[in-house]
Amino acid sequence: MGRQSALLLLGWLALMVRPGLSSYLTGSGFPWEGCKLSASVNRWTVTLASYSEDVVRGSRACFNFGYKPLSQCTPSGLRCCGENHLNKFKLYIDPVCNRADMFNITVNGNPTSAAFKEFMGGDLSKPTLKITNMFIPFEQINTTQLCFSLKGTANNGTCSTLASLANPFTREQGVLEIGMYDKKVDNYECCPMFIFPLSVA
């Protein structure tokens, strides 16, 4: 049974954290990288525009991107996240999920296959699935939509819903955790975190 659920993005904390430490939203440690996490330098927004869920036949999610006014960024000598290209969309996933569980990935209706499952630093406790090489320029971010489908159990899908895709650590908190990345320039990269409530446990 497909059902539509437009979920609002939970607010991220206005908290400065040091790069490479735990996510400031869930304490998961995601994304375990040296990019700038702080909400104070972020201008991006992301909303779950539509979500149809069917465990057996498969689910489909679409995310809309946007940006906040410049006045809401305190760059502290750095550039604000979102003033460069939007390059990657990364999800903190359950380690049992596979790249093959995600298909029909589109950016503004255009198909892409640039998506990969990886274990950060080869650590099996740090599974992620990233959609990359999007190269969306700043002036197009607020008109960009990213969509993907999850294979249902009828087609041997392992993770057929956003709830089953989420890592068990954040699933217990009732959220899916994602990161958005700009394109690294002068060895500086932004990767603010976002969380979305899960409709199914």
Side-chain angles (χ1 to χ4, degrees):
M1 295 181 297
R3 62 189 177 90
Q4 296 293 327
S5 177
L7 301 177
L8 296 177
L9 170 68
L10 296 181
W12 55 87
L13 303 179
L15 176 66
M16 291 294 290
V17 296
R18 289 178 293 169
L21 297 184
S22 62
S23 164
Y24 51 89
L25 296 178
T26 68
S28 65
F30 176 72
W32 314 285
E33 297 178 72
C35 48
K36 190 69 174 179
L37 296 172
S38 175
S40 68
V41 299
N42 175 48
R43 289 189 64 189
W44 282 323
T45 64
V46 57
T47 56
L48 183 55
S50 64
Y51 178 49
S52 59
E53 183 174 281
D54 190 313
V55 173
V56 177
R57 292 183 294 180
S59 306
R60 186 160 180 82
C62 288
F63 294 84
N64 286 350
F65 302 119
Y67 46 80
K68 301 180 293 182
L70 181 60
S71 61
Q72 295 188 33
C73 171
T74 307
S76 302
L78 302 171
R79 73 171 182 275
C80 296
C81 299
E83 293 181 354
N84 195 0
H85 289 73
L86 172 57
N87 189 39
K88 292 184 288 188
F89 182 90
K90 186 177 289 190
L91 304 99
Y92 182 33
I93 64 169
D94 192 309
V96 303
C97 299
N98 301 306
R99 166 62 181 88
D101 288 320
M102 183 181 288
F103 69 103
N104 193 16
I105 306 167
T106 61
V107 179
N108 289 334
N110 299 311
T112 179
S113 59
F116 309 92
K117 178 181 178 180
E118 60 184 357
F119 294 95
M120 294 302 298
D123 188 335
L124 298 183
S125 70
K126 299 177 179 179
T128 67
L129 200 159
K130 68 176 179 181
I131 300 168
T132 189
N133 296 338
M134 294 196 292
F135 299 120
I136 302 166
F138 175 79
E139 60 271 15
Q140 295 178 18
I141 288 173
N142 65 345
T143 59
T144 293
Q145 183 175 81
L146 168 68
C147 299
F148 57 81
S149 296
L150 298 171
K151 191 180 297 183
T153 55
N155 292 305
N156 299 315
T158 305
C159 299
S160 58
T161 67
L162 290 182
S164 59
L165 185 69
N167 188 272
F169 181 86
T170 63
R171 188 188 303 140
E172 288 182 359
Q173 300 178 46
V175 297
L176 170 70
E177 188 169 24
I178 67 104
M180 291 167 58
Y181 293 68
D182 67 2
K183 184 66 176 174
K184 185 180 291 187
V185 176
D186 297 328
N187 205 35
Y188 168 54
E189 182 180 36
C190 288
C191 62
M193 301 291 103
F194 301 83
I195 52 176
F196 292 89
L198 298 170
S199 58
V200 179

